[in-house]
Amino acid sequence: MKSHTVKLSLTVPQRMDFVNITPQVQQAVRESGVREGLCLVNAMHITASVFINDDEPGLHQDYQRWLEKLAPFDPSPSAYEHNRTGEDNGDAHHKRQIMGREVMVAVTRGE
């Protein structure tokens, strides 16, 4: 079995944003030399997500609105027990659970 690891480091200044990493993943697959197999893309931070869908601004807005309805941002300790630890991101942990932490992509003919 062949493996290849690439670590991306992203700085996202907004509390919630969507970053298309498709070009970086495609480059990593090319560099790996893998022709047939699987590519695991995993968000290593506990409040970051990875998902596959259209990279379309309207869809991103829909996701933001939907996620805010499900787990609204509220930094107060009364909103989320997690916020009693001194952090204010209890909502982000819930949003990550909904959006997912990893995706598996098939690699066929090196793509």
Side-chain angles (χ1 to χ4, degrees):
M1 180 172 94
K2 184 175 188 172
S3 67
H4 178 75
T5 301
V6 173
K7 294 180 182 173
L8 301 178
S9 179
L10 304 172
T11 301
V12 181
Q14 292 88 353
R15 221 178 142 70
M16 183 192 324
D17 202 1
F18 299 89
V19 178
N20 184 344
I21 61 169
T22 301
Q24 294 95 321
V25 173
Q26 289 171 324
Q27 179 64 30
V29 169
R30 281 192 295 276
E31 291 172 359
S32 75
V34 171
R35 302 289 302 150
E36 303 293 328
L38 297 171
C39 176
L40 172 66
V41 181
N42 183 303
M44 297 302 290
H45 193 274
I46 57 175
T47 60
S49 298
V50 178
F51 67 96
I52 296 174
N53 213 313
D54 293 335
D55 185 23
E56 190 272 312
L59 183 60
H60 297 174
Q61 291 173 349
D62 291 341
Y63 273 134
Q64 285 182 324
R65 197 168 29 255
W66 178 65
L67 289 167
E68 280 305 312
K69 286 180 185 175
L70 294 174
F73 170 66
D74 184 339
S76 71
S78 62
Y80 299 97
E81 295 289 324
H82 175 72
N83 291 351
R84 294 181 181 180
T85 66
E87 296 186 51
D88 68 352
N89 64 351
D91 66 304
H93 290 274
H94 293 282
K95 290 167 180 156
R96 193 260 184 132
Q97 285 300 114
I98 293 164
M99 295 302 288
R101 66 179 185 152
E102 64 192 19
V103 295
M104 188 75 69
V105 182
V107 176
T108 304
R109 294 185 296 281
E111 296 181 359

